[in-house]
Amino acid sequence: MGRYSKGDHVKIEVVNEHSGESEWMWMLVERSDDHDRLVFGKLDSQPIVVTDMHLGQELAVSYDNIREHRRFD
């Protein structure tokens, strides 16, 4: 079991490779791996700046790109 649990939300920072702009979006956690420092889940925000991503998209994100963590009960 990793640092982040199924059902948690993490705010991730994603950078638009073309413009260099960054956007913060929420991701719904499915699981995490502390050894590889990765969190897996689905995008839970509608992207505005990073237009090649979409709501519900499955992602693997480095712990280094996590800016906030929320656990809703």
Side-chain angles (χ1 to χ4, degrees), residues 49-68:
V49 174
V50 184
T51 56
D52 60 344
M53 296 178 72
H54 62 274
L55 183 65
Q57 181 175 343
E58 292 186 2
L59 302 171
V61 176
S62 168
Y63 283 9
D64 295 335
N65 293 85
I66 295 173
R67 302 295 178 246
E68 192 172 333

Side-chain angles (χ1 to χ4, degrees), residues 27-52:
M27 185 174 93
L28 179 62
V29 175
E30 189 62 35
R31 65 184 176 87
S32 62
D33 180 334
D34 286 346
H35 180 266
D36 291 326
R37 297 183 41 81
L38 292 171
V39 61
F40 302 88
K42 292 185 179 181
L43 191 59
D44 202 30
S45 295
Q46 182 64 46
I48 297 169
V49 174
V50 184
T51 56
D52 60 344

